[in-house]
Amino acid sequence: MAPLKSLEQDYPILDSNFQSFCASHDIFSVEDLLLHDLYVLAAFAEQESSSERLKQGITQVLSIIDGKHQPWLNGMELLEDAQRNKHVLSSGCEGIDLLLHGGLRVGQLTELVGPSSSGKTQVCLLAASNVAKKHIGSVVYLDTGNSFSPQRVTHFICQHSDPAIDQAKHRTLQKVMNNISCKSVFDIFTMFDVLHQLEFNLRSQMQGGDCKMQLLIVDSVSSMVTPILGGSGSQGHALMISAGYLLKKLAHEHNIAVLVTNHTVGGDGGISKPALGESWKSIPHVRLLLSREHGGSICNVSILKHPSMAVGKAARFMIHN
C-alpha cells in the first residue's frame, strides 16, 4: 500500500501533523502502521495535544484498508468469473503449456523455482515474447537483476520466421517490442511503488481503450525479498507477504497472469528447496520446479503446487541457446 504522504491529497485528515506523529514511531506507510500495535499507537496519540485528530487519522487509514476488501461472491458468481475472465495464456513453451493444460492462467500467480542457470529467465523471456506476439495485450517485465535481453526476445520471435519476408518479420518484432514494458527494480520498496502505479494504471485502463495488460513478470522476486529477511524482526516477512498479496490482488482483480521466479536453497539432507521459506509458500497458486540437464538445452519441469493438478506431474522441453 501507499506511503502515508501520498494519501494526504485525498484524505486531508492525514496531514503533516499526522505524518510527523507516525514518523516519530517509524511509520511511513500503510504497511508500517499495520505492523504496529494499534492500541499502543492510540495510547501514544492520547498524549498529544491533537489526540482526537490523530485518532481520526488512524481510523481513516483503517477505513482505506477496509475499502480495498473484495465483496463476498457466491459459487455461481465465482464460476461465471472463471469462465468469462480466467482463461490461459500460452507461455510459448510447449512442455509447460502441456503440463498446465494450456499455459499460465489469468488471475493466478505462477512461480518458477530453480537453481541458477536452470532456465527461469529464458522461460520468462519466452512467455513475454509469446504473449506480446499472439495475444492482444501488453506485458510488464520487472527486471531485478539486469537479465532482460531484447536480443533473446528477437531470437524467439524471428527463429521461425521466413527470411524471405523481412518486412513482415520486422513489423512483428516491432509490435512485440512495443507491447513489452521493462522496468529495472532492485529493492522491494521500489517494487511497491511500481506495483501501486501499475494498479492505478490498470484501473484507468478499465475506463479507456488502451491495449490491455495480460502478463506481469517479476524476475526474480527472491532477489528483492531475501535482503530484508535477515535478523529476528518481523518487518521483512510482513513486507514479503504484503508484496505477495499485492501481486495476487493485481492478478485477480484485473484478470492478468503473474509469473515470478524464485531460486533454491539447501534443505535437509542436502536436498534443494525453494527459497523464501514457509511464509511465502502459501502465496503462489501454482509452483513449478525447473531444472536443466548439465550443459544441455533440455529442461525438466514438475509441479510442486497446483490448485487442481497432482503434485509431481512432470514434463520436458527444450530451450535453444
Side-chain angles (χ1 to χ4, degrees):
M1 293 183 182
L4 295 177
K5 187 176 181 179
S6 68
L7 300 173
E8 182 179 357
Q9 185 175 351
D10 293 328
Y11 306 96
I13 193 73
L14 308 181
D15 56 16
S16 58
N17 181 55
F18 179 79
Q19 293 168 37
S20 297
F21 167 74
C22 290
S24 69
H25 296 280
D26 295 323
I27 298 173
F28 302 95
S29 67
V30 175
E31 284 90 351
D32 294 338
L33 189 141
L34 289 175
L35 290 171
H36 276 67
D37 187 320
L38 297 181
Y39 292 103
V40 172
L41 193 62
F44 279 120
E46 286 281 5
Q47 301 171 19
E48 303 290 329
S49 57
S50 56
S51 60
E52 286 305 314
R53 189 170 177 82
L54 291 174
K55 287 190 290 184
Q56 289 173 14
I58 295 171
T59 302
Q60 179 65 75
V61 175
L62 295 177
S63 296
I64 293 170
I65 297 168
D66 287 338
K68 292 184 178 293
H69 290 172
Q70 289 295 296
W72 288 85
L73 297 175
N74 62 37
M76 183 54 68
E77 289 170 327
L78 290 170
L79 178 61
E80 290 173 353
D81 177 61
Q83 292 174 336
R84 184 173 61 252
N85 299 316
K86 304 302 189 282
H87 54 279
V88 294
L89 303 175
S90 169
S91 68
C93 174
E94 187 176 352
I96 290 178
D97 287 353
L98 286 172
L99 184 66
L100 298 181
H101 296 175
L104 307 172
R105 184 161 295 278
V106 165
Q108 291 187 352
L109 189 157
T110 300
E111 180 188 42
L112 286 175
V113 178
S116 177
S117 301
S118 59
K120 300 187 297 295
T121 294
Q122 297 277 49
V123 172
C124 289
L125 292 171
L126 186 56
S129 306
N130 197 63
V131 169
K133 179 182 178 182
K134 296 184 178 179
H135 299 273
I136 303 175
S138 61
V139 177
V140 172
Y141 197 114
L142 302 188
D143 182 10
T144 70
N146 289 325
S147 58
F148 181 82
S149 170
Q151 292 84 2
R152 290 297 290 164
V153 173
T154 301
H155 171 72
F156 290 139
I157 296 303
C158 297
Q159 63 179 338
H160 300 304
S161 298
D162 186 345
I165 47 176
D166 289 338
Q167 192 173 5
K169 184 168 62 175
H170 176 73
R171 285 198 300 267
T172 300
L173 181 61
Q174 190 174 39
K175 171 191 171 186
V176 169
M177 291 301 190
N178 287 338
N179 280 343
I180 300 176
S181 300
C182 183
K183 174 74 173 178
S184 294
V185 179
F186 300 117
D187 64 78
I188 196 167
F189 302 103
T190 304
M191 188 180 81
F192 273 121
D193 290 340
V194 171
L195 292 179
H196 287 305
Q197 183 60 52
L198 181 60
E199 185 176 24
F200 175 80
N201 293 344
L202 286 167
R203 285 205 185 103
S204 302
Q205 198 179 76
M206 291 169 67
Q207 302 170 358
D210 296 338
C211 181
K212 187 182 186 303
M213 179 179 166
Q214 294 277 0
L215 176 64
L216 170 62
I217 296 172
V218 184
D219 182 28
S220 77
V221 71
S222 53
S223 66
M224 285 184 301
V225 171
T226 301
I228 65 171
L229 295 181
S232 57
S234 61
Q235 185 173 13
H237 281 84
L239 288 170
M240 176 181 72
I241 297 303
S242 294
Y245 279 117
L246 180 53
L247 289 168
K248 291 174 77 171
K249 180 172 179 280
L250 289 171
H252 176 71
E253 292 186 7
H254 298 283
N255 296 313
I256 62 176
V258 176
L259 177 64
V260 304
T261 65
N262 186 8
H263 65 276
T264 56
V265 294
D268 295 336
I271 299 175
S272 296
K273 64 178 182 179
L276 305 184
E278 292 297 312
S279 300
W280 177 262
K281 187 177 179 180
S282 64
I283 296 295
H285 297 91
V286 177
R287 178 174 257 188
L288 303 176
L289 178 62
L290 201 61
S291 63
R292 196 168 187 167
E293 295 184 4
H294 182 69
S297 56
I298 301 297
C299 294
N300 299 292
V301 59
S302 60
I303 296 176
L304 293 181
K305 176 186 176 184
H306 197 286
S308 60
M309 296 183 190
V311 172
K313 191 176 178 183
R316 303 177 81 199
F317 61 95
M318 179 178 293
I319 292 183
H320 297 282
N321 293 317

